[in-house]
Amino acid sequence: MASDAGGEVDSYSLLRRQRELASLYATAKSLTALGELDEVLQSIVHHAHELIGTDFTYLSLVGTDGRLSARASEGTISASFLAACIPADVGLGGKVLASRSPHWVRNYAAATLIDHDPNFDRLVATEALVALLGVPLVIRGEAVGALFAADRSERSFQADEIALLIAFADHAAVALDNARLYEASRTALQELQVAYRKNEEHMAVMERAQAIHEALTGVVLGGGTPGDVAQLLADQLGGSVTLLDRAGAALVRRDSASSPCRAPSETDLADAVKDAHRSGRCTTSVDTAGVARSVAAIQAGDSYLGALAWSREATTGHDAPDDMNLRTLERATHVLGLLILKERAVAEASERLSGELLTELMVGSPGISPAQRARTRARNIDADRLDLVVVVDSVALSSTDLSRHLHDIARDCSGLAGEHLGRATMILHGADDDRPVEEVHHRLRRTLGEPVIVVGERAVNHDWSRAFSLASRCGAVMRAIGHTDLGATTGRYALYAMIFDTERVRELDRFISGSIGPLLDYDQRRGTSLVDTLSAYYVHRANVAATARALHVHVNTLLKRLDRASNVLGLNWRQENDLELQLGLRLHQLRAVVTTPS
């Protein structure tokens, strides 16, 4: 029965994620149509209302008069609600706009930390509004409105609800930005029709631009990739088109078949990319070789996603056809933004599912339940072959960042990746232990450019939890003995197995007790530090002066401590049993490192 209940929860979670992705994708498709602004905003509010599940949802924009007015709503009772218009610095909306961050209240009428507007409070009573969540609509750093979700009963809003509403708000910001460019393009068209009504050449340019826009929309709706968009632009505009990521690295380069042009290097484009990102508009420059380069930033709301560069032979002057091509380039960045957001949403959903499956296997191990086997099989992963646990650690990067890179590796080797107990972890199949671990280290080292420790341990009888514990503790030992950039299995550190293998803790206790037990007891009873003194003495290779400096004590004080240690041990430890004493001290230090929370 428990498995059936777990399966129902899993099915519900998968269904909910599918609904979220479907709704976000449907909203993205509506944005690519470049329709009327009110229709797009109403569509976003409709999808947000259905997915968030609150009693009603609405979207408000800041007008030219500086007041916040409702533009679209779903689930409201009063027709007068859309006529609501309040100053942009009061109410919950005022806090959202001022801070450009989400805010919510359990009971709006009783909230004392916001400035109330009498007119809006009357609408609050009419709508029976109680709990309210608001997120900002931000375009190029400016808060231009807010998206709200409201309930008619007192409640709190969870982090996933807030994150989901923010995603819709980002789409709304893209819609607003699209609408402004669309209006600018339409105004330019009207001006051209008035000024050059009899000029067929310019009309042909306009028709060509429209055809390109339709083709770009078709690429998106047809499931095309960013590379398809770049190729379409290169074919239509001529020259060379380059798509760059957020770091300025070239992801895609496409050339026109009829009029190719030398594509600039990433270094040559660096300054132009910075200018486009800072200004939010397309920038154009001409190099000494007569090659014109136009760069437009790819943004979704206030999120910078990359840049699009168009290179071609420079023309004399800035004529209308070239201006329209630049507008087309800018429009293409919005299409690419939607494609990137879609791909990111799909990737993040896949990463979440992979992480959840990994955690389930870790927590529920040893063994695999039928539900877990079915869920992994749905991802084309054979859970019975997942027999190698890999734990990754780096001083320079967080476990979240490391996990993101592990997901890419896991997809290639039909494994699972995610964070478990604060550590970047992956489960995969390995015919032998050493080679897969070394390959993971090599890929991470090449991608990150930073030192990283990768530790692997074979999971026996699907006991992934024990393998994870051994690999994690072994990694702590590796760092303690000075390794910072290595890929290895726990077997390579079998000498230290008593430290990281919890099943051998009694062996470790016996050895430490037999070697330095009297010193530990003496320190505990007298509050002294004989163990630390001997450890420092051996670290400095029995150099009395260097040891005294390291401990910040006088040489005579150190010599007295060493004599006291001899009395406690009851032997001449500098000549007898020296190796066993050194091992005991070292193992005692390493155990303290491994058992200390990271």
Side-chain angles (χ1 to χ4, degrees), residues 305-521:
L305 303 177
L308 188 62
W310 171 39
S311 303
R312 71 280 185 197
E313 295 297 328
T315 58
T316 56
H318 298 283
D319 51 10
D322 195 51
D323 288 344
M324 185 54 64
N325 287 339
L326 295 182
R327 293 179 186 276
T328 298
L329 190 70
E330 289 183 334
R331 185 68 52 77
T333 63
H334 291 275
V335 173
L336 285 168
L338 292 173
L339 284 176
I340 293 171
L341 285 176
K342 182 195 73 173
E343 291 179 350
R344 180 180 295 179
V346 172
E348 289 177 351
S350 177
E351 290 175 5
R352 283 198 301 271
L353 180 57
S354 176
E356 290 170 1
L357 284 171
L358 179 140
T359 299
E360 285 185 18
L361 294 178
M362 286 288 186
V363 174
S365 68
I368 310 172
S369 70
Q372 290 168 342
R373 185 173 278 108
R375 293 183 67 193
T376 53
R377 189 182 300 117
R379 292 175 56 83
N380 295 319
I381 297 173
D382 185 354
D384 292 293
R385 287 170 56 83
L386 299 177
D387 50 11
L388 184 63
V389 175
V390 173
V391 178
V392 181
D393 183 36
S394 172
V395 175
L397 296 168
S398 68
S399 58
T400 301
D401 291 334
L402 291 172
S403 298
R404 188 173 298 113
H405 291 286
L406 280 183
H407 281 295
D408 296 332
I409 301 175
R411 280 192 291 269
D412 295 339
C413 60
S414 298
L416 296 173
E419 281 189 77
H420 181 60
L421 299 181
R423 297 188 181 276
T425 309
M426 180 168 65
I427 311 177
L428 69 158
H429 170 66
D432 64 71
D433 296 348
D434 293 307
R435 185 172 179 180
V437 175
E438 291 170 358
E439 288 177 351
V440 171
H441 175 262
H442 177 70
R443 286 189 58 174
L444 288 175
R445 190 67 175 82
R446 182 179 56 194
T447 302
L448 302 175
E450 298 285 351
V452 61
I453 288 180
V454 180
V455 189
E457 168 67 14
R458 182 161 294 278
V460 179
N461 297 325
H462 300 151
D463 193 349
W464 297 287
S465 180
R466 170 171 165 74
F468 169 82
S469 176
L470 290 174
S472 300
R473 294 167 65 89
C474 182
V477 171
M478 291 166 64
R479 289 193 303 275
I481 62 179
H483 294 307
T484 59
D485 191 15
L486 184 66
T489 61
T490 59
R492 182 170 172 178
Y493 291 85
L495 177 64
Y496 302 94
M498 283 194 301
I499 301 172
F500 60 78
D501 189 346
T502 55
E503 293 184 358
R504 301 186 62 181
V505 66
R506 291 185 177 178
E507 298 176 36
L508 179 61
D509 288 340
R510 282 196 299 270
F511 184 83
I512 291 178
S513 177
S515 57
I516 64 171
L519 292 175
L520 291 171
D521 293 340

Side-chain angles (χ1 to χ4, degrees), residues 69-83:
S69 60
R71 294 290 298 272
S73 68
E74 187 84 6
T76 53
I77 299 172
S78 172
S80 62
F81 190 82
L82 279 178

